[in-house]
Amino acid sequence: AHAKAFAKHNTSADAHANIFEKVQSIAAAHMYNFYYRSGQFHTDAATRTALVSPTYILVNVGGNGYESKAAITLDISKDAAWDTAAQEWQASHAYAVGDVVYPTSGHTTYYYRCITAGTSSTLTPSFPTTLGSTYNDGNVVWECQLDYTQAVNRKGKDYYVYACADGDALKLVVSPNSTVPTKYTADSSRKIGGFHCLCADVGTISGHALSGYVAGDILPASVWDLKFRATSENEGMVWDGSQWVDIYLDSWNGSSLVSAYGGVVADGDSTKPFHGELFVEEFAKVKKHLISRDQYVAFAKGSNEKTNIKGSADANTTGGHVDTAGRRMISNIGCEDCCGWMWQWTSDISGHPNVSTSNSDMPGGGGQTSSSEGDHWLNGYGWQNDGRSVANINIDGSTNIYGHSYGALSRAIIGGRWGDGSSCGSRSVALADLSSSRDGGFAGRGASEPRAAIL
């Protein structure tokens, strides 16, 4: 009898279990930042365009608690997944501001968003195909915007998952907006996750984790949520199993380093020139750090080996490249251009306190020997105390403003450059360059620690 009573007490239908669930819901309703889920968001490998939620979510949105008790599939190739909830245009139909339609002929590259409410015409519209242009339809005014169900519009971009209040129910939507989704407000929505879409077709690569993926597909390793994310912002990053890593070599957006598709790579010759020391400082401002050589060896796997970029020249902008054999330059987790385009600065440093022989060199780019010059080639080098390995006059304005380096500070670079051919690869490393070297073939890639534990 005791065993039966115990078993009954522990069934999911027991009143105690129901009370506990109710207490959870009450907590969610009154704790502004409350967010719980039974597992992680993940991609659907069969479609590669679908994101699948955990089977249970309990979340506070605008001060109220909402829950979902079943997995939700968000297929970003379908209208229903998006905050726009676009529908086919209808004649003589009353439209409100924010309504979104697509032509009766079917999806094109563009959506049309109502910016002036009214009733549509009886005539089929000749919608414009210039982004941002407007069209008068009856007394409705439409604005031309991108249709994100189309893969061409998704490639190389980040998207966000929002928990939204839909009456008394919880609705999940995907949006390109980083703050508030279309048709919702800050009080009726809450950003709980996101992901990045592949920038270019991978093609068929035997044994590669992303073989067959095409531009606009969700990168599985880029999926994040409030309980599984980076200390930095997550845009343009993938999870390598221990940290978040930038997908792209970083570019300068005018105020900070970013991992973005099509960005002009930041290097020693970019508009804002960089050396190893400056990458350290600027990454710290966005809560990132330079990758380590050991981490790189792991996350670069799947990349092209012993080849460099097609054309054997500086590509200038990030992502989507192929090597001299026509193979995509992408790792198994989705990191672009790991090998054979730019050497990449790492967090690995070493000191050379006493290089005294006349034929010992510490190369830095141009054969200069004076501390007043920008690059460093230190012949007959002895004991440096003028700051040349921690500062560069062409980048920092002086070699004597950030302290001295008693010994030559070198920083490891990895991966190989555009003309290095068979010397490039996931284990390629050079150890002879000063951290302050200014070189147009040296770039940077950021990494960030996890902000919250994986649940």
Side-chain angles (χ1 to χ4, degrees), residues 143-161:
E143 181 180 68
C144 180
Q145 298 190 346
L146 292 176
D147 177 352
Y148 290 105
T149 65
Q150 306 302 292
V152 66
N153 292 332
R154 298 194 304 266
K155 62 181 185 178
K157 297 178 182 177
D158 287 276
Y159 300 93
Y160 307 92
V161 179

Side-chain angles (χ1 to χ4, degrees), residues 32-33 59-64 66 162-165 177-192:
Y32 187 76
N33 290 321
V59 60
N60 182 287
V61 178
N64 296 305
Y66 295 87
Y162 286 88
C164 299
N177 304 335
S178 62
T179 52
V180 178
T182 299
K183 294 188 174 182
Y184 296 90
T185 67
D187 290 331
S188 64
S189 65
R190 182 180 174 192
K191 183 166 62 177
I192 61 171

Side-chain angles (χ1 to χ4, degrees), residues 189-356:
S189 65
R190 182 180 174 192
K191 183 166 62 177
I192 61 171
F195 55 87
H196 190 84
C197 285
L198 182 67
C199 68
D201 296 355
V202 173
T204 301
I205 304 175
S206 179
H208 199 287
L210 299 177
S211 181
Y213 275 67
V214 299
D217 284 351
I218 301 172
L219 278 174
S222 72
V223 177
W224 62 274
D225 77 339
L226 294 178
K227 288 189 176 292
F228 178 47
R229 55 178 171 162
T231 301
S232 67
E233 297 302 318
N234 264 89
E235 283 84 352
M237 304 192 84
V238 285
W239 176 248
D240 77 349
S242 62
Q243 65 175 353
W244 292 91
V245 181
D246 284 345
I247 294 169
Y248 307 98
L249 296 181
D250 281 75
S251 51
W252 182 255
N253 69 0
S255 60
S256 63
L257 288 169
V258 294
S259 171
Y261 173 50
V264 176
V265 70
D267 58 36
D269 289 338
S270 52
T271 302
K272 180 180 175 67
F274 278 79
H275 50 36
E277 298 290 286
L278 189 56
F279 272 117
V280 171
E281 292 180 0
E282 291 296 341
F283 275 135
K285 292 177 183 178
V286 291
K287 300 180 181 179
K288 294 182 182 180
H289 53 78
L290 282 169
I291 57 175
S292 76
R293 193 262 174 174
D294 288 354
Q295 291 162 338
Y296 163 80
V297 168
F299 73 69
K301 282 293 177 284
S303 300
N304 52 298
E305 303 279 3
K306 303 190 72 174
T307 61
N308 59 240
I309 194 168
K310 183 179 180 180
S312 300
D314 187 355
N316 194 40
T317 57
T318 61
H321 301 129
V322 298
D323 69 2
T324 47
R327 180 197 190 275
R328 277 281 276 116
M329 298 169 64
I330 188 170
S331 75
N332 283 321
I333 63 172
C335 288
E336 299 273 340
D337 304 319
C338 292
C339 314
W341 174 26
M342 304 283 282
W343 284 107
Q344 295 154 63
W345 290 108
T346 71
S347 60
D348 298 86
I349 59 175
S350 60
H352 298 267
N354 187 18
V355 182
S356 58

Side-chain angles (χ1 to χ4, degrees), residues 32 49 90 101 128 191 193 278 311-312 337 359 374 378 418 448:
Y32 187 76
T49 59
Q90 299 178 56
V101 298
K191 183 166 62 177
L278 189 56
S312 300
D337 304 319
N359 62 352
L378 306 181
W418 60 77
S448 183

